[in-house]
Amino acid sequence: MISDLGRRKIMDFKNLQKELFEKKFKLDEYMGNTFDIFGSIVKENKLWIAILVILNIWALYSTTLQNTINTNIRVAASYGDVSNMARYSGMQLSISLFNTVISVYSTLFSIMMYSKVVMKIEGRENEYSFKETFFKFLKIFGLTIVFLAVFSIVMFIPVLIGIFIGTIAEYNYSRALMAVAIAVPVITWIVIVIIAWIKLLYFRETFYIRNMKIVQTYKYNLAISKGNKLRKILPNIVLSLIVLVFALPFLLNMFLFTFLFTSVYIVILIAVISSVATSAIGIVSIILNSLIFLNVEYNYLKSIDEKKEEIQA
């Protein structure tokens, strides 16, 4: 009985690629298959996931630690205590560097999980290569630096405008102008981020999953996103809000952990719970986005084949 159920489960998993090709999934189908795959992915990658959870616990807890260190630096500065200022600044730098390492690991983990999930669905598990994963990480790292450089250049003008308006507002004691001075760079930042997100909606999945050059990846991302934007945007907004709920205590750490929770054990407990939850949601997000990408891509390729057949007919 158990073996029959197991075989049926495997057969269902093997048929998933066929189903993704044959029809457009609804949200409940995406979620159902996501949780079916989740258990298998966790089982096969226990060590990688355990490391991720531990690192996330530290990353969350370090926000409260950094807040305490910043307070100590300000106190030391007020007394002119250069020795303690240097000591606490060194601690702050060490934490920041380690958190950078965590970011590197998280990105590598993300690329690896995208590859493994898709290869599992497409029956190409034996093709996985950590070397390829690391190479893609280096490329995305370089691309991120270029993007941030361009973004900084683009933001330079609205920031200058904001500073100029702010100077006039301060000279004239105008609250309205001061609000405008703040709004100009903030609104510009929001607009740029939204446009970039929409234009790069399927870029990450395409880059992580398929072997394409960057320009080709961008064009392919635009092609498959036509008519499929909400399919990806809506579930990701929901998942992001859930993550925000668990991360919120640490985003508001100055209030929560200074006035409500004075025990370090309570803070660590909350960090553990939040880390496990956010890590699980992160994996769910990777699987969900992989399914959405494959479904969208397969239907896009199928539509191209159908158009070719119509032309030949």
Side-chain angles (χ1 to χ4, degrees):
M1 179 70 176
I2 295 175
S3 59
D4 289 342
L5 287 172
R7 280 195 294 270
R8 201 153 52 237
K9 182 74 174 176
I10 294 171
M11 286 301 295
D12 289 343
F13 192 80
K14 286 183 177 179
N15 287 331
L16 178 57
Q17 184 184 17
K18 182 181 177 182
E19 293 174 5
L20 287 166
F21 185 82
E22 289 178 345
K23 64 176 183 177
K24 289 186 176 181
F25 276 25
K26 295 179 180 178
L27 182 58
D28 62 326
E29 292 176 294
Y30 284 128
M31 294 308 299
N33 283 289
T34 292
F35 288 115
D36 284 343
I37 298 171
F38 179 83
S40 175
I41 291 297
V42 171
K43 185 178 179 181
E44 294 171 5
N45 299 277
K46 294 189 190 77
L47 179 60
W48 291 101
I49 294 171
I51 293 172
L52 179 72
V53 171
I54 292 169
L55 291 178
N56 281 341
I57 291 171
W58 165 257
L60 291 172
Y61 177 70
S62 69
T63 61
T64 62
L65 194 59
Q66 285 180 308
N67 181 59
T68 302
I69 292 172
N70 284 334
T71 301
N72 290 335
I73 290 173
R74 287 194 295 270
V75 171
S78 66
Y79 285 100
D81 189 345
V82 178
S83 176
N84 274 327
M85 284 175 62
R87 184 165 65 89
Y88 288 126
S89 296
M91 291 170 62
Q92 188 76 284
L93 179 61
S94 298
I95 292 171
S96 298
L97 289 174
F98 188 67
N99 284 346
T100 301
V101 173
I102 294 174
S103 296
V104 169
Y105 180 84
S106 298
T107 305
L108 276 170
F109 178 85
S110 181
I111 299 172
M112 180 178 65
M113 286 298 106
Y114 270 109
S115 299
K116 287 192 172 186
V117 168
V118 171
M119 286 179 178
K120 192 171 186 65
I121 293 171
E122 295 184 335
R124 301 186 292 112
E125 294 171 89
N126 60 335
E127 295 179 18
Y128 173 76
S129 167
F130 182 79
K131 182 180 177 181
E132 182 66 25
T133 296
F134 187 72
F135 184 63
K136 285 189 176 184
F137 164 76
L138 292 178
K139 287 200 289 186
I140 202 69
F141 178 75
L143 192 62
T144 301
I145 291 175
V146 172
F147 177 81
L148 290 175
V150 173
F151 180 77
S152 299
I153 293 169
V154 172
M155 282 297 299
F156 183 71
I157 295 175
V159 168
L160 276 182
I161 293 172
I163 292 172
F164 178 73
I165 296 173
T167 303
I168 296 173
E170 190 175 1
Y171 182 78
N172 293 283
Y173 302 100
S174 173
R175 290 185 179 179
L177 279 177
M178 187 59 72
V180 172
I182 296 170
V184 168
V186 170
I187 292 174
T188 304
W189 182 85
I190 292 171
V191 169
I192 291 173
V193 168
I194 291 174
I195 291 173
W197 186 42
I198 292 173
K199 289 294 182 181
L200 299 170
L201 199 58
Y202 288 92
F203 182 89
R204 180 183 59 185
E205 287 77 14
T206 305
F207 185 80
Y208 288 175
I209 294 167
R210 303 303 181 206
N211 292 318
M212 296 182 181
K213 293 181 178 179
I214 291 172
V215 174
Q216 187 183 2
T217 299
Y218 176 68
K219 290 179 179 179
Y220 193 73
N221 143 79
L222 290 178
I224 66 175
S225 67
K226 290 178 181 177
N228 294 297
K229 291 183 176 66
L230 288 178
R231 185 180 296 271
K232 190 166 188 286
I233 290 173
L234 293 179
N236 276 279
I237 288 176
V238 172
L239 288 177
S240 296
L241 290 174
I242 296 172
V243 169
L244 183 63
V245 169
F246 285 101
L248 201 58
F250 296 91
L251 296 176
L252 301 174
N253 67 79
M254 186 178 292
F255 171 74
L256 284 171
F257 301 129
T258 301
F259 298 103
L260 296 183
F261 305 129
T262 55
S263 171
V264 67
Y265 299 109
I266 295 177
V267 176
I268 293 173
L269 177 62
I270 296 173
V272 170
I273 295 170
S274 297
S275 175
V276 171
T278 54
S279 298
I281 295 167
I283 297 168
V284 166
S285 176
I286 289 171
I287 298 170
L288 177 64
N289 284 316
S290 297
L291 288 173
I292 293 172
F293 171 80
L294 289 178
N295 195 211
V296 168
E297 182 189 44
Y298 291 162
N299 280 276
Y300 168 74
L301 295 175
K302 185 168 65 174
S303 68
I304 290 176
D305 288 339
E306 289 172 352
K307 286 177 183 178
K308 286 181 179 178
E309 290 175 2
E310 289 176 6
I311 293 171
Q312 291 174 354

